[in-house]
Amino acid sequence: MSSSVSPLAPKNVPDMPVIAGVRLATAEAGIRYKNRTDVLLAVMDKGTAVAGVFTKSKCPSAPVEWCRAKLKGGKARALVVNSGNANAFTGKTGRSSTALTAKIAAKAVGCSEGEIFLASTGVIGEPLDATKFDGVLGRLAETAEAGDYLAAAKAIMTTDTFPKVATATVKLGKAKVTINGMAKGAGMIAPDMATMLSFIFTDAPIAPAALQALLKSGVEDTFNAVTIDGDTSTSDTLLAFATGAAAEHGAPKISRASDPRLKAFVKAFNQVLADLSEQVARDGEGARKLVEITVEGAKTKASARKIAMSIANSPLVKTAIAGEDANWGRVVMAVGKAGEPADRDKLSISFNGIRVAKNGARDPSYDEAQVSEAMKAPEIAIKVSLGLGKGRDRVLTCDLTKEYVAINGDYRS
């Protein structure tokens, strides 16, 4: 965890309201760090629905495998998250650690082990000593309270420089429902049907299947449209929990994601995901620039996404932005290598609203001084127009600085 906060961090942290049916507590378990919290326990009321999406990595962590197996039950009573150790690439030892953690948590909360969900983040390849949770989770279950999402977000940080939280309130039927979320992630970020670690809580009464459909759809243009370095983690986990407590205040019970009464809720739910995913981009390791890349005029949206990701993941593009150089040649390179339909002579490119290339050549009105000044801004918007169709997409990334190398060069030490 960095001692200096990213210059791109949000200026204001929202007040996180209480969600009925959710209690939180954090502690120092000594997993890896000293003198900081490194374990989070979230306790949910009976009947809480759960949904999740996870990394597509072929080398997933033990907690990812655990959650995938338990998700079929559709119900959750507790979430245990630790930082400092990813419990990934740990073989049978890792699986034993998850089983022991779940056993300790189930005893502490008073539920079955199948209702316990787990997530771990940190160093890969180091065995996780789950005995460190013994006693700790029992105390946390007794002291958990409704409310402190900021402390919870801090406990799951690794190289993050600030805790990431977001909230939204919306009407569902006659009741007001709340959606709270937290996330962690700053490096090894290129989600693939998942996210880094992120947890969403709501009091809306939504059935597991409907919640799963909402989550799977919601990540596509939020967390799956963010990249820091092009590396998909072994531990990517996004879990959503719906306690259903708002049913007591008139919220209708939702069994289908297509229910028209969900329209406002879906918009708010996706906004929380979008807010959290942008915060991840703002906290990219060593980041000094938030970069939005929009590709339009592609053959399809999928084609636009691939081209946008090619640009966003290019070290040459990202270092040029770090150097405040509007080097459109590197953007042309990234478009060309994406393997998607593109016509060099129809290509146009702009940086922060200033067109630098038009129809396959430098724009006749190009002004180096004007563009150089625009590149000094903390937020950079790159727009690429292909002129081939109606496909459009947008992704977020950040620049690539010397600090990224420094952070990752000594990460384990």
Side-chain angles (χ1 to χ4, degrees):
M1 189 165 57
S2 176
S3 59
S4 59
V5 176
S6 168
L8 303 172
K11 303 303 180 186
N12 299 302
V13 178
D15 292 326
M16 302 293 287
V18 167
I19 290 182
V22 179
R23 297 181 295 121
L24 306 169
T26 62
E28 297 180 21
I31 301 300
R32 179 177 174 83
Y33 307 115
K34 295 181 179 180
N35 301 318
R36 58 152 286 191
T37 55
D38 59 1
V39 61
L40 159 68
L41 175 67
V43 182
M44 279 78 71
D45 283 356
K46 291 181 180 179
T48 295
V50 62
V53 288
F54 308 93
T55 182
K56 282 187 175 179
S57 170
K58 299 302 182 183
C59 300
S61 69
V64 165
E65 291 181 320
W66 175 274
C67 288
R68 279 179 176 152
K70 305 310 175 188
L71 201 62
K72 299 172 185 177
K75 298 297 181 182
R77 287 296 313 283
L79 166 69
V80 180
V81 188
N82 74 269
S83 58
N85 186 315
N87 196 10
F89 200 62
T90 47
K92 292 182 179 179
T93 300
R95 290 188 286 275
S96 297
S97 293
T98 57
L100 179 55
T101 304
K103 183 178 181 179
I104 295 170
K107 181 179 179 181
V109 174
C111 67
S112 72
E113 293 168 24
E115 295 174 296
I116 302 294
F117 286 79
L118 309 172
S120 299
T121 180
V123 173
I124 293 172
E126 294 288 339
L128 174 63
D129 182 4
T131 62
K132 291 188 175 182
F133 296 125
D134 201 7
V136 173
L137 295 182
R139 292 195 301 273
L140 292 181
E142 293 176 356
T143 59
E145 297 179 345
D148 202 344
Y149 287 86
L150 196 61
K154 288 179 179 178
I156 65 175
M157 291 166 58
T158 52
T159 59
D160 305 63
T161 70
F162 61 87
K164 300 163 183 65
V165 294
T167 186
T169 302
V170 67
K171 288 291 288 291
L172 180 59
K174 298 179 180 180
K176 180 178 73 172
V177 298
T178 301
I179 306 162
N180 284 352
M182 69 181 83
K184 69 79 52 185
M188 199 186 289
I189 304 297
D192 188 4
M193 278 311 297
T195 174
M196 292 45 63
L197 292 187
S198 187
F199 310 104
I200 310 297
F201 303 89
T202 181
D203 53 357
I206 302 177
L211 189 62
Q212 183 68 37
L214 293 181
L215 194 62
K216 186 175 180 180
S217 173
V219 297
E220 280 305 313
D221 290 328
T222 57
F223 280 110
N224 277 356
V226 171
T227 179
I228 300 302
D229 44 27
D231 288 330
T232 297
S233 173
T234 60
S235 306
D236 287 347
T237 298
L238 169 53
L239 293 169
F241 303 94
T243 68
E248 297 180 3
H249 304 287
K253 295 183 179 180
I254 304 295
S255 60
R256 296 177 296 108
S258 59
D259 192 316
R261 295 173 294 182
L262 270 181
K263 185 176 181 180
F265 179 88
V266 171
K267 183 178 180 180
F269 184 82
N270 289 346
Q271 182 54 51
V272 169
L273 296 180
D275 190 338
L276 291 172
S277 61
E278 180 174 314
Q279 289 185 55
V280 169
R282 288 180 175 275
D283 203 18
E285 290 171 341
R288 294 294 178 267
K289 307 277 188 183
L290 176 69
V291 186
E292 178 187 63
I293 299 169
T294 302
V295 174
E296 62 181 19
K299 287 283 189 179
T300 63
K301 175 180 169 66
S303 182
R305 169 66 62 89
K306 288 182 180 179
I307 293 171
M309 280 294 188
S310 179
I311 299 168
N313 283 324
S314 167
L316 290 176
V317 172
K318 293 161 71 72
T319 50
I321 294 169
E324 301 182 342
D325 178 14
N327 191 335
W328 67 86
R330 293 181 175 181
V331 176
V332 173
M333 172 277 299
V335 172
K337 75 169 186 175
E340 293 297 313
D343 185 333
R344 178 198 62 204
D345 296 332
K346 292 183 178 181
L347 193 63
S348 297
I349 302 168
S350 67
F351 287 85
N352 276 5
I354 303 171
R355 194 170 61 194
V356 297
K358 178 183 179 183
N359 296 332
R362 186 172 69 177
D363 192 288
S365 63
Y366 178 78
D367 183 332
E368 180 75 28
Q370 180 189 28
V371 179
S372 294
E373 185 62 29
M375 294 301 292
K376 294 179 182 179
E379 299 184 11
I380 304 296
I382 299 175
K383 184 176 180 180
V384 174
S385 300
L386 299 174
L388 300 178
K390 296 183 179 180
R392 184 183 187 278
D393 206 5
R394 163 191 174 272
V395 303
L396 293 176
T397 188
C398 60
D399 56 345
L400 180 59
T401 67
K402 293 178 181 178
E403 188 176 351
Y404 177 89
V405 178
I407 290 169
N408 286 283
D410 61 9
Y411 178 67
R412 291 204 306 150
S413 55

